[in-house]
Amino acid sequence: MKLILTQEVDGLGAPGDVVEVKDGYGRNYLIPRGLGLRWTRGGEKTIESIKAARATRAARDSDHAVEIKNKLEQASVNVKVRSGEAGRLFGAVTTAEIADAITETSGEKVDRRTIVIAQPIKSLGAHEVSVKLHDGVAAKVSLNVVPA
């Protein structure tokens, strides 16, 4: 089954792409959720409008992402966690805790799925994480893990 994607689907493509998928996947998952439309010969106009809208949105979003990046890199974010006597944490700092701390400190809402942690954070002190804001725009955020 040929479909025109209307939204980004991981592992499949971006909006405006024409993809070939199994009939059941397209009919039972992609189309009902609004992620794709059936491909037709008249669908070329739809593809062009989707791609034009995506290009406009990408330009606007990339400028906004650079502004947010500058704001996040200047802020120092404190994450309060429970810890033992030696400075070891009970577990690890989660991306949800980091996202909440960033939102509280900077006022910018950050999705936890955009936060990239190189190594699990299991100790107090200074750490650095990356926040993917847009394609090609990632902010390096300084974290201070402090006892609660």
Side-chain angles (χ1 to χ4, degrees), residues 25-80:
Y25 182 53
R27 188 175 51 246
N28 297 327
Y29 183 77
L30 295 174
I31 293 173
R33 286 176 172 73
L35 300 175
L37 303 169
R38 286 189 182 273
W39 180 85
T40 60
R41 292 189 191 273
E44 298 299 321
K45 292 178 185 171
T46 305
I47 293 171
E48 295 304 320
S49 67
I50 290 172
K51 287 186 177 182
R54 187 174 84 189
T56 304
R57 193 175 326 113
R60 184 181 66 231
D61 290 347
S62 65
D63 293 339
H64 184 63
V66 170
E67 291 174 18
I68 294 172
K69 174 186 175 187
N70 293 334
K71 189 174 184 180
L72 291 180
E73 287 180 345
Q74 292 174 359
S76 180
V77 179
N78 290 329
V79 180
K80 295 180 182 177

Side-chain angles (χ1 to χ4, degrees), residues 1-3 19-23 25-27 31 38:
M1 168 185 281
K2 273 189 167 181
L3 291 176
V19 295
E20 183 77 29
V21 296
K22 301 262 182 178
D23 290 346
Y25 182 53
R27 188 175 51 246
I31 293 173
R38 286 189 182 273

Side-chain angles (χ1 to χ4, degrees), residues 4 38 43 61 97 127 135:
I4 302 168
R38 286 189 182 273
D61 290 347
E97 292 172 328
H127 299 278
D135 294 335

Side-chain angles (χ1 to χ4, degrees), residues 99-111:
D100 291 342
I102 290 173
T103 301
E104 184 179 307
T105 302
S106 68
E108 295 292 338
K109 181 121 175 84
V110 175
D111 187 8

Side-chain angles (χ1 to χ4, degrees), residues 84-115:
E85 293 177 14
R88 302 261 314 153
L89 305 184
F90 298 126
V93 178
T94 64
T95 56
E97 292 172 328
I98 295 170
D100 291 342
I102 290 173
T103 301
E104 184 179 307
T105 302
S106 68
E108 295 292 338
K109 181 121 175 84
V110 175
D111 187 8
R112 67 174 182 80
R113 294 174 293 217
T114 61
I115 297 173

